[in-house]
Amino acid sequence: MSPAERRAGASLAAIFALRMLGLFLILPVFAVHAHGMPGGDNVALVGMAIGAYGLTQAFLQIPFGAASDRFGRKPVIVFGLLLFIVGSAVAAMASDVQTVVIGRVLQGAGAISAAVTALAADLTRDQHRTKVMAMIGSSIGLVFALSMVAAPLLYAAIGMGGLFWLTAALAVAAVFTVIFVVPAAPPVPRATGRFAEVLGNGQLMRLNFGVFALHLMQTAMWVLVPAGLVAAGLPMPEHWKVYLPAVLLSFVVMVPAVIVAEKKGAMKKVFNSAIVLLLVVQAGLYATGSSGLWPLAILLTLFFVAFNVLEATQPSWISKIAPPHAKGTALGVYNTLQSLGLFLGGALGGWLAQHVGPASVSLLCAGLALAWLILAAGMAPPPVRRVASA
């Protein structure tokens, strides 16, 4: 990659990572913390607080992505980060679960994922795009690992309000990164009919279903996993002893998998293998009942492997097959389904756990993974373009 591409990848990955802390930091601690708040005895409401972030994301990703096609990527990204900061402040000052839900909804109103990913595609050549998307996907995985390790410790030190204030401060840092570090974006070609063109593309829509399923599984699992680890005898401040090794081991597998996918033209094989791994994880969680320390640790490691591979390959695949004039719109639809999955994972996972039983959550996720695998099996691999280095 050129120096400009490396700078773009690193700075955009940092923006993604700083913002995603707003989602991930509460996952390991909120379900336990909520028991001491008004409304915290309602598991479905707690699940709503975990997943509410994705609700406004689902409504606003397409408008933000389309706006970035029309008005430019950077102004849209900065505006979204400012909304995110406001939501973090509301959640930080919340005294009950209902107000946390409102703060999370406002956080999600800063729906910049599509604009950031489209900017990454604008600033990189086709033959290096999966590497940059892997940088962004890896940043999400690293932040996820960091939140799993740091959140219990930070929660003990600064409380839930402090976690949200920290998230707001990191988002301020992200604003300065957008303005002063990210390279200038090239002009975006304009055309009409972008939305219909994206929705009518079967390949894009299969990838959209995939990101929906992946992120629904992610948040649904964390309605159950913290309690499962506690039940297995591991106190919440020590959950990092499972999360950190699991994520680090997953990166050892993810990096060569992405290299093989890109350099050997094996994107589809790597992609489908990761979906199979997700199915194995959900079947394992159903069989074990999300209990037992070693089974949970092994299944979480396998989940992180699959998650990180798919986070790297899916947006790259989207950017390669989307019409050049509609990348922002295509990634807006993609991130809308991602956000809808985040929301439904928390809300539906909490509802199922309370009214049907914890096993139903894993059964739902296994069914989604199987449906995704069937859809992905019929996809054509993305085009492999070989362009001479500049």
Side-chain angles (χ1 to χ4, degrees), residues 38-85:
D41 56 342
N42 187 329
V43 179
L45 186 60
V46 172
M48 180 71 73
I50 292 173
Y53 178 97
L55 181 62
T56 40
Q57 290 269 305
F59 281 109
L60 294 175
Q61 284 291 354
I62 293 173
F64 269 66
S68 77
D69 282 338
R70 180 167 294 276
F71 302 112
R73 312 294 190 207
K74 282 193 174 186
V76 169
I77 294 170
V78 170
F79 178 70
L81 286 169
L82 294 176
L83 288 175
F84 181 87
I85 292 167

Side-chain angles (χ1 to χ4, degrees), residues 286-320:
Y286 178 77
T288 62
S290 302
S291 61
L293 188 57
W294 277 107
L296 269 176
I298 292 169
L299 291 169
L300 285 174
T301 302
L302 296 177
F303 172 79
F304 285 127
V305 170
F307 179 84
N308 289 329
V309 169
L310 292 165
E311 279 291 295
T313 53
Q314 284 194 107
S316 175
W317 198 332
I318 287 266
S319 70
K320 287 180 178 180

Side-chain angles (χ1 to χ4, degrees), residues 175-371:
V175 170
F176 282 94
T177 303
V178 174
I179 296 172
F180 297 111
V181 181
V182 177
V188 178
R190 296 183 181 180
T192 59
R194 292 187 299 266
F195 191 62
E197 192 173 357
V198 168
L199 292 183
N201 188 311
Q203 294 283 91
L204 290 175
M205 294 310 295
R206 291 184 191 205
L207 290 167
N208 291 334
F209 174 83
V211 77
F212 166 79
L214 177 64
H215 286 268
L216 189 152
M217 292 179 218
Q218 182 194 19
T219 47
M221 284 174 60
W222 260 262
V223 172
L224 304 176
V225 165
L229 290 173
V230 170
L234 192 67
M236 191 169 65
E238 298 183 22
H239 286 189
W240 66 270
K241 294 179 180 179
V242 172
Y243 296 139
L244 183 60
V247 173
L248 292 179
L249 284 171
S250 76
F251 281 120
V252 172
V253 179
M254 184 273 286
V255 172
V258 169
I259 292 173
V260 168
E262 183 70 16
K263 290 192 173 182
K264 304 295 185 182
M267 179 81 78
K268 183 176 177 180
K269 290 181 180 178
V270 171
F271 185 81
N272 287 353
S273 297
I275 301 173
V276 170
L277 196 54
L278 280 180
L279 180 57
V280 169
V281 169
Q282 299 305 326
L285 289 173
Y286 178 77
T288 62
S290 302
S291 61
L293 188 57
W294 277 107
L296 269 176
I298 292 169
L299 291 169
L300 285 174
T301 302
L302 296 177
F303 172 79
F304 285 127
V305 170
F307 179 84
N308 289 329
V309 169
L310 292 165
E311 279 291 295
T313 53
Q314 284 194 107
S316 175
W317 198 332
I318 287 266
S319 70
K320 287 180 178 180
I321 65 177
H325 58 271
K327 281 181 188 173
T329 303
L331 288 162
V333 174
Y334 172 84
N335 283 283
T336 294
L337 271 294
Q338 178 189 64
S339 301
L340 189 60
L342 289 170
F343 166 68
L344 286 177
L348 187 57
W351 187 90
L352 284 172
Q354 179 167 339
H355 295 286
V356 183
S360 64
V361 178
S362 299
L363 191 61
L364 169 68
C365 293
L368 282 172
L370 180 60

